[in-house]
Amino acid sequence: MEWAVRVQILSQMGISEVPSQYIQPPKNRPESVTENIADLSCKHVPAVDLCSEKESVLPAIREACREWGAFHVFNHGVPTKLLDGLRRACLPFFNDFQMEDKLKYACNPNFAASEGYGSRLLVSSENETVLDWRDYFDHHTLPLSRRNPSAWPHFPPEYRELMANYSDEMRVLAQRLLALMSESLGLKASCIEDAVGEFYQNITASYYPPCPQPDLTLGLQSHSDIGVITLLIQDDVGGLQVLKDGEWLLVDPLPNAILVLVADQTEIITNGKYKTCVHRAITNASKARLSIATFHDPAKTVRISPVSDLVSQSSPPLYSSVLYRDYLSSWYSNAPEGKRNLDKLLLDTSNYCSALYAIKKRNKNSQVLFHLCNEIKFDVCIEASKA
Ligand SMILES: O=C(O)CCC(=O)C(=O)O
Ligand SMILES: [Fe+2]
């Protein structure tokens, strides 16, 4: 299939059957796509009012991050005008631009997360490509050295300014949320942010055209986000689902709320105390859907490992440390297709724990050794513990 094929073209052709590349294997299909999408489930992701007292915010965040890896925030300080303005501004590119004008903004398919207009593919472990029923526009927004608004749609005239303002607001909110998440684990407020360093932020507007066979396709396949924290807004159509205790639950499209998704690096940093959220997007036959996701990632040169304050004899390190660049490349070369990329970093905690503690007992500088153990080969730790 030509790279330049966009889902929107297929949708506008009025086909009654989707091309075979878009058909999910039966195990991945949405089980039931009912007419009334809101009826799909009665369980809701938790909501946190950020204006409440800290004594109630921290336990609410702790519970949500442990049990769901996702929660809505209200009273988040981001002006409603900006949320609505950006949602509105993102539509003309998908709805009104001619395809030849859209393709002037095409991303480079040879680079992962290249900026611009595209239709991303995930390649399954069997190397069979199943395509998502989704087009998107990816913006590189932070650090400022990556931000080049002239690469973003030129229409409507306020687009670029809105996107830049939104990027700044999301950074502030992400920092505030990571501070609350740190505190909710009894860590100092800057703990998670210190572990991440300067944010690399990308903003992706996803557009899911109406799909003639929503029961066979997915807008976006099951995945967890690979970075630290994702902040997502959507329109009123609905279609985002989160996986909770083996069940796919629809996320209510709440206009003034921002959805927080815990991503993989936060699960590593918190030593599994907080769970990355597995999610996907389903499609529907009648209405196009828009979502805007803001991803916050570490720089590629940052090494991520569980913070030592969350590692103890009763809570051994669950994950080995990883250079973010290596995490990224393993994700892109072997996209997980429903499996957690994170699981590749899982340690054998029983052995690791005894090795680590044997070494610690003999050495006062346990902090250094903890990081060493993470970086050197695991069996070397075992040998060292026996010596
Ligand atoms: O469209 C959505 O609601 C989900 C988007 C998403 O998960 C992503 O871009 O990673
Ligand atoms: Fe995602």
Side-chain angles (χ1 to χ4, degrees):
M1 173 165 287
E2 283 286 302
W3 174 259
V5 166
R6 297 291 183 257
V7 174
Q8 200 174 2
I9 300 180
L10 297 171
S11 179
Q12 285 166 351
M13 279 161 53
I15 50 175
S16 57
E17 289 183 4
V18 299
S20 59
Q21 295 95 324
Y22 292 89
I23 297 182
Q24 293 289 335
K27 67 180 188 333
N28 294 347
R29 292 177 194 164
E31 307 81 61
S32 59
V33 181
T34 57
E35 274 303 295
N36 184 357
I37 227 165
D39 284 348
L40 273 178
S41 171
C42 51
K43 291 184 204 147
H44 303 277
V45 298
V48 177
D49 180 347
L50 289 184
C51 272
S52 305
E53 299 291 319
K54 226 176 188 179
E55 294 77 61
S56 64
V57 170
L58 294 184
I61 287 183
R62 183 164 54 236
E63 169 83 6
C65 291
R66 271 190 186 156
E67 299 300 325
W68 290 77
F71 56 99
H72 275 124
V73 284
F74 289 97
N75 292 319
H76 38 61
V78 185
T80 309
K81 222 176 119 191
L82 181 58
L83 302 180
D84 290 340
L86 188 69
R87 272 188 284 249
R88 220 175 305 115
C90 281
L91 285 175
F93 179 82
F94 296 105
N95 283 339
D96 304 334
F97 276 41
Q98 296 297 317
M99 188 48 73
E100 60 180 292
D101 290 327
K102 286 182 188 165
L103 291 177
K104 289 180 191 149
Y105 294 94
C107 63
N108 183 338
N110 298 319
F111 291 101
S114 136
E115 187 165 42
Y117 178 51
S119 309
R120 191 164 358 218
L121 348 149
L122 290 182
V123 180
S124 83
S125 39
E126 297 90 36
N127 267 351
E128 265 169 37
T129 305
V130 182
L131 302 179
D132 294 325
W133 194 262
R134 174 182 84 131
D135 297 330
Y136 69 90
F137 200 112
D138 193 18
H139 311 73
H140 291 180
T141 43
L142 287 174
L144 283 176
S145 56
R146 295 170 75 232
R147 191 187 286 178
N148 173 20
S150 66
W152 307 342
H154 61 276
F155 185 86
E158 66 276 18
Y159 188 105
R160 293 170 177 176
E161 196 186 340
L162 280 171
M163 187 59 74
N165 291 344
Y166 186 76
S167 153
D168 296 337
E169 292 279 353
M170 290 301 107
R171 178 183 56 79
V172 172
L173 181 60
Q175 284 170 321
R176 185 173 165 205
L177 287 162
L178 290 180
L180 290 169
M181 284 158 68
S182 298
E183 287 186 278
S184 69
L185 284 168
L187 304 167
K188 73 173 191 303
S190 65
C191 187
I192 299 178
E193 209 189 328
D194 290 346
V196 175
E198 187 180 25
F199 283 146
Y200 275 61
Q201 186 200 59
N202 285 356
I203 300 183
T204 302
S206 293
Y207 185 84
Y208 305 89
C211 177
Q213 293 180 297
D215 48 338
L216 300 181
T217 50
L218 284 173
L220 187 52
Q221 295 174 60
S222 163
H223 66 285
S224 57
D225 293 344
I226 50 189
V228 178
I229 186 170
T230 303
L231 302 176
L232 186 137
I233 59 172
Q234 49 178 328
D235 63 14
D236 58 0
V237 176
L240 174 62
Q241 295 182 323
V242 298
L243 188 63
K244 169 89 169 83
D245 304 328
E247 219 186 322
W248 285 106
L249 303 174
L250 194 79
V251 177
D252 294 323
L254 305 171
N256 296 326
I258 296 176
L259 181 74
V260 182
L261 294 169
V262 173
D264 293 357
Q265 305 313 305
T266 298
E267 180 163 333
I268 300 174
I269 292 167
T270 63
N271 197 29
K273 303 275 183 293
Y274 286 172
K275 300 273 180 278
T276 188
C277 178
V278 175
H279 55 284
R280 70 181 187 185
I282 58 171
T283 61
N284 75 82
S286 55
K287 271 190 165 177
R289 169 173 178 261
L290 177 84
S291 74
I292 303 168
T294 308
F295 305 99
H296 299 88
D297 296 7
K300 289 184 182 160
T301 52
V302 170
R303 181 169 283 279
I304 299 290
S305 36
V307 293
S308 53
D309 286 352
L310 296 178
V311 174
S312 66
Q313 194 133 26
S314 58
S315 174
L318 291 181
Y319 300 107
S320 58
S321 87
V322 66
L323 201 61
Y324 189 58
R325 173 188 293 124
D326 296 339
Y327 194 84
L328 269 178
S329 58
S330 84
W331 195 88
Y332 280 108
S333 61
N334 182 19
E337 204 235 337
K339 288 192 216 82
R340 293 173 8 126
N341 194 42
L342 209 50
D343 290 349
K344 289 186 224 147
L345 294 178
L346 276 174
L347 289 166
D348 176 343
T349 52
S350 52
N351 284 338
Y352 191 95
C353 195
S354 48
L356 184 65
Y357 276 85
I359 298 171
K360 268 190 176 180
K361 249 197 251 164
R362 290 201 310 265
N363 197 308
K364 296 253 173 334
N365 196 353
S366 55
Q367 187 70 17
V368 172
L369 271 168
F370 169 68
H371 286 292
L372 257 180
C373 281
N374 259 333
E375 278 168 46
I376 56 183
K377 268 189 79 184
F378 175 60
D379 359 329
V380 179
C381 294
I382 303 276
E383 285 312 308
S385 74
K386 287 183 194 149

